[in-house]
Amino acid sequence: MGDREQWQYPRNVAGKVLGWRSNGKGLENKDWADPSAKQDADSNLDTLSSGTTTLGATGLALLEDETKADAQATLGGSATGISVFESATKETALAALGETVDLTVNIPTDYPTLQDAIDALSMRPVKQGATIILMIETGHALTAGVLVENGDFGHFVISAVDATVSLDAAFPAVDIIKGVNARMPQLNCLIDANGLGTNGYFADQGSIGFVHASCGIYRAAQQACYANAGSTIFADNSLFKEASQAAPAYSGILAWASRISALGADVSGSLYYGAQAAASGTLHFRNGIADGAARHGVRATNCALVNARGASSDNCGVTGFRAFDSGIIHATDSTATGSLGNAYQAENNSVITADSVTCDAVTSAFVALGNSRIKATNAVSTSGSVRADDGSVVALENPTITNTGARALSAVYGAKIVIRGGSVSGGDGDRLINILDNSEVLCTGTNLTASSTETSMAVVDNGSSLSIIGGTHSYPNAAVNCLDGSLIRLHGSGIPAADVTGLANATLAARGILWGGA
């Protein structure tokens, strides 16, 4: 029978560690300084790591020392290695806990660039409702752009001490803030790009962006606010003025196959387009400002939709509101004054709704081309004509159209103009109403006034038709000149047959139907 003592299991004493006796017979309490105790602890800890035993305070302290020793061995045994290990452990613990309140870091004091700050802090989880504020310090000019990809960076908020942040003169030719398949950092300041960089705030490939009110990108080289390829940007009451500094080709706001909400946004002074949606994109631009665009103030193209109710698009270089290639613009309560071309133009199967608008233009107040439609109620135009071409329709209810220049109403190539109520007065052209090539104009209860320079109130030619039902009419010269198989319908208009030239079958005048000449 063996020595009984070697099988005894002594009670563990606080501050000591159990280890084998020097003779190998049984266990005893040893001081931690004893090298054999350290060796035994290594073995015991290895056992604990694979089991379910719960450590007490002494065991935890031993585990910490053992872990540090292992780290020191791995890192080369240097003090620097231990410091690195401790810092990494602390950072990991903080990350696991997450930020529960807003954290502010300063650019460039804490991090030299916005990108550096996001790269360093993006691994840190943030509790719901908390943000990491990237505060651009006073006087600092940004030296680099921001690119975030494949993640959620929406808890980062780019803010500034100064009212406006500048870009450094050496800022590279990159987007100022761009997201690719990402939730982008919020923009909570105004950046003056001064034509540097490329795009301003750019959400690409399914990204989501957020721009705070009174914030944005001023004088962007290309697009100032740009959502592309299924992206979304919220930018109500934002500022994206004087865009397209690099070349006449870009927009203050562009939703390309994407969605942008920019209620009340200001894109005035763009060197090309003001606010635009394209390629089935959608832009909410209600009460927006697109004044002074070098080309078109508000544009919808390629099956896009723009809600521009209450928007202003004044003093534009070409057109105030233009819908093109199946574009749709809702422009009720808008203004389009001072345009050097047209106020409202729909082209190539497009649609514009322009109720209760105020406009004037050098060329046309309303023009629909290529099977397009314009509908306006209670519109007021103080200059510019109404024109429909190529199967298009312009329908005006209770309009006030004055000082139209040449040919106040013109329908050609199978087009149609319908006016109910209101009034139309001419300018310095040769006729008030021009109808050619199987087109039609219908005026019901509309007051028509030709100027002294207009030799006829209306010319109807090439199989076209004119209907004037009711209303009052003034024409210093001939009322209607009907030519080449065209048709005139006059009923309750007060226009006598004697004032209609080129008629055959004048005896039908009493029935309100007058057939034109051969």
Side-chain angles (χ1 to χ4, degrees), residues 115-341:
Q115 188 72 59
D116 290 330
I118 292 171
D119 290 346
L121 301 172
S122 59
M123 292 299 293
R124 178 177 295 182
V126 174
K127 302 296 184 181
Q128 190 281 132
T131 60
I132 298 177
I133 300 171
L134 310 179
M135 184 63 68
I136 302 170
E137 295 172 298
T138 186
H140 177 63
L142 299 178
T143 59
V146 171
L147 173 62
V148 294
E149 300 178 274
N150 306 322
D152 188 347
F153 307 89
H155 54 283
F156 288 99
V157 182
I158 299 173
S159 299
V161 175
D162 296 335
T164 304
V165 176
S166 300
L167 300 186
D168 186 82
F171 193 93
V174 299
D175 302 311
I176 298 173
I177 303 169
K178 181 180 181 180
V180 177
N181 187 33
R183 183 177 288 274
M184 298 171 59
Q186 302 173 44
L187 180 58
N188 189 37
C189 63
L190 181 62
I191 298 174
D192 181 1
N194 194 24
L196 298 170
T198 53
N199 296 300
Y201 192 81
F202 181 15
D204 196 17
Q205 300 178 42
S207 295
I208 300 174
F210 189 103
V211 180
H212 289 255
S214 301
C215 302
I217 308 290
Y218 177 53
R219 296 196 292 178
Q222 297 181 7
Q223 326 283 2
C225 178
Y226 183 16
N228 182 57
S231 299
T232 301
I233 295 176
F234 176 87
D236 286 1
N237 300 302
S238 56
L239 300 175
F240 292 101
K241 301 169 65 175
E242 299 186 32
S244 196
Q245 293 284 323
Y250 306 103
S251 306
I253 292 176
L254 173 59
W256 187 285
S258 300
R259 298 181 299 170
I260 295 179
S261 177
L263 181 150
D266 188 347
V267 296
S268 58
S270 171
L271 300 188
Y272 204 61
Y273 299 140
Q276 179 184 192
S280 301
T282 302
L283 170 60
H284 181 49
F285 194 62
R286 184 167 183 167
N287 299 326
I289 303 171
D291 299 341
R295 190 163 174 79
H296 309 311
V298 176
R299 184 174 187 255
T301 183
N302 299 102
C303 303
L305 170 66
V306 176
N307 176 9
R309 181 165 189 163
S312 67
S313 189
D314 300 331
N315 303 311
C316 294
V318 179
T319 304
F321 295 83
R322 187 185 189 218
F324 182 70
D325 283 352
S326 300
I328 299 174
I329 297 178
H330 177 61
T332 291
D333 298 323
S334 63
T335 63
T337 62
S339 294
L340 299 182

Side-chain angles (χ1 to χ4, degrees), residues 404-410 424-427 429-435 441 443 446-460 466-482 488-490 493-496 499-501:
T404 57
R407 302 181 181 182
L409 307 178
S410 181
V424 178
S425 62
D430 59 345
R431 66 198 69 168
L432 184 71
I433 302 172
N434 180 64
I435 315 170
V441 171
C443 298
T446 305
N447 300 326
L448 304 172
T449 304
S451 70
S452 59
T453 65
E454 293 166 329
T455 56
S456 295
M457 186 173 71
V459 172
V460 189
L466 168 66
S467 295
I468 299 177
I469 311 300
T472 60
H473 315 292
S474 173
Y475 45 94
N477 300 301
V480 180
N481 189 5
C482 184
I488 304 172
R489 300 178 181 90
L490 304 175
S493 64
I495 300 175
D499 291 344
V500 179
T501 62

Side-chain angles (χ1 to χ4, degrees), residues 22-81:
S22 58
N23 60 9
K25 296 182 179 181
L27 300 172
E28 66 178 353
N29 286 285
K30 293 185 176 183
D31 292 328
W32 180 245
D34 187 338
S36 65
K38 183 73 163 52
Q39 181 178 358
D40 291 337
D42 286 342
S43 176
N44 293 340
L45 288 169
D46 290 340
T47 301
L48 287 171
S49 67
S50 60
T52 58
T53 304
T54 301
L55 292 175
T58 301
L60 287 173
L62 295 176
L63 179 61
E64 181 181 358
D65 288 342
E66 177 68 11
T67 303
K68 183 179 292 187
D70 288 344
Q72 186 173 11
T74 301
L75 295 170
S78 67
T80 301

